[in-house]
Amino acid sequence: MTAQSVTIVEVGPRDGFQMEKAFIPTDLKVRVVDLLSEAGLRSIEATSFVSPKVVPQMSDAAEVMSRITRRAGTIYKALVPNLRGAQAALDSGADAVELVIVASESFNRRNVGLSVDESIVACEEIAAAAQGAERPLEVVIGCSFGCPIEGLVPEEQVERVAQAVSAFGISRLSLADSIGSGNPAQVTRLVSRIRATLPTMPLSLHLHNTRGLGLANVLAGFQAGVDTFDAGLGGLGGCPVFPGATGNVATEDIVNLFEEMGIPTGVDLEKVREASRLVQQFLGRPLPSYILRVGTARELFARAELARVS
Ligand code: MG
């Protein structure tokens, strides 16, 4: 059964910004999160509590959390790599924390220096900390569709992590195509498999447009019953292992996809574009979102020149 409406989770201020070399001023980060809140995005990954030595771009995480204007009913989430980060995120007032466990052994080790099993143990501790603070924990299974070191990731590996962490009272599982190597058939298969294994677990998809398959993968996920999708304003972000690759599925593009299909998202596209333009201006380069560059079908019709179309 496909959903009657979808929820877009904005991850640009974390997944997008962390890829940028130039430090994005805290004022701009706060302004962007505020615009995204005003746009009606009900779940925003505002920052991550990682070591500032590893990711200097996120060194102002606590300041961002304290300065954003919180809109009632909006969830401001923070990504955390470990228990220490989780405690910092909870102390900062994050409404929810997210932990990434990479489905492939070698990339998880490279990401956090732990085996997958050690990450599952860490997840239980973080889940206990989140429960103690009465805040939800979401688990992102990274490289669910492919790993830069190991190639295709067997579905059993993703399922094993999903089953293990589902025992810790987590609020949601997100299947992430962290490098953008997945295709729609893979999305359909993996979503169906995880839904069959964990029928009551809320699922979301985190998809990257590295090879132009982002929206096709979104649609495959939607048709397989997923109603929650991560997206990044402007299509910010990238892929650390594929230089030059585009980033997250753009918020504008995913909102437009569903709205033009008659499936409400509750997101004001123009406000998202306003945020993207501010970021574009700071970065000094155009962002890859199609809708940011070209506009919606309605906007195209309104300004089409009457040239002969062959
Ligand atoms: Mg990502």
Side-chain angles (χ1 to χ4, degrees):
M1 249 303 264
T2 57
Q4 301 300 302
S5 65
V6 294
T7 300
I8 310 297
V9 179
E10 175 60 52
V11 300
R14 197 281 306 172
D15 202 351
F17 286 178
Q18 78 172 18
M19 287 294 297
E20 297 300 330
K21 292 222 159 43
F23 186 77
I24 298 165
T26 308
D27 283 352
L28 180 57
K29 288 175 176 146
V30 170
R31 179 76 187 121
V32 166
V33 172
D34 287 349
L35 277 169
L36 295 165
S37 298
E38 287 170 31
L41 287 146
R42 287 289 162 263
S43 182
I44 300 176
E45 193 180 74
T47 188
S48 70
F49 285 81
V50 286
S51 159
K53 281 194 202 101
V54 180
V55 189
Q57 185 66 262
M58 296 287 128
S59 60
D60 56 358
E63 197 184 344
V64 169
M65 288 307 297
S66 73
R67 288 182 47 199
I68 53 176
T69 302
R70 293 184 177 228
R71 214 180 136 124
T74 301
I75 303 291
Y76 299 91
K77 304 194 284 185
L79 192 81
V80 303
N82 50 33
L83 184 59
R84 192 171 151 192
Q87 270 152 354
L90 294 167
D91 289 347
S92 80
D95 298 309
V97 288
E98 293 168 286
L99 175 73
V100 179
I101 300 178
V102 178
S104 71
E105 203 63 45
S106 39
F107 207 73
N108 194 62
R109 215 169 259 290
R110 192 161 119 172
N111 208 32
V112 287
L114 300 175
S115 70
V116 171
D117 283 335
E118 286 167 340
S119 272
I120 290 169
V121 170
C123 180
E124 189 168 13
E125 293 166 3
I126 294 168
Q131 274 153 22
E134 296 181 340
R135 249 78 62 79
L137 169 68
E138 303 184 5
V139 174
V140 180
I141 306 185
C143 295
S144 283
F145 301 91
C147 162
I149 302 168
E150 298 179 18
L152 270 180
V153 172
E155 288 168 13
E156 305 86 81
Q157 271 173 240
V158 181
E159 188 179 27
R160 183 177 84 83
V161 177
Q163 264 181 313
V165 299
S166 72
F168 306 148
I170 64 167
S171 63
R172 174 175 294 278
L173 256 187
S174 173
L175 302 175
D177 187 10
S178 314
I179 60 172
S181 67
N183 66 58
Q186 269 182 291
V187 171
T188 305
R189 271 202 315 273
L190 187 61
V191 166
S192 308
R193 183 170 182 146
I194 302 296
R195 279 172 69 89
T197 311
L198 300 168
T200 58
M201 174 66 69
L203 265 193
S204 55
L205 282 167
H206 175 103
L207 301 165
H208 279 240
N209 196 38
T210 312
R211 302 171 311 112
L213 292 182
L215 288 180
N217 288 339
V218 166
L219 198 56
F222 176 71
Q223 286 168 343
V226 176
D227 66 356
T228 305
F229 299 90
D230 287 2
L233 72 155
L236 267 172
C239 176
V241 291
F242 297 141
T246 56
N248 291 288
V249 171
T251 308
E252 293 92 328
D253 298 353
I254 194 169
V255 166
N256 180 72
L257 170 75
F258 285 115
E259 294 286 343
E260 287 191 359
M261 287 171 59
I263 298 149
T265 63
V267 178
D268 175 346
L269 198 49
E270 193 41 42
K271 279 268 183 230
V272 179
R273 287 191 289 199
E274 193 183 332
S276 290
R277 287 188 201 106
L278 280 180
V279 176
Q280 265 186 172
Q281 209 173 7
F282 172 78
L283 296 175
R285 65 164 203 271
L287 294 179
S289 161
Y290 295 101
I291 300 305
L292 181 62
R293 286 185 286 131
V294 184
T296 63
R298 193 187 295 243
E299 288 162 350
L300 277 183
F301 298 147
R303 68 162 199 268
E305 293 186 24
L306 296 175
R308 191 177 293 274
V309 177
S310 58

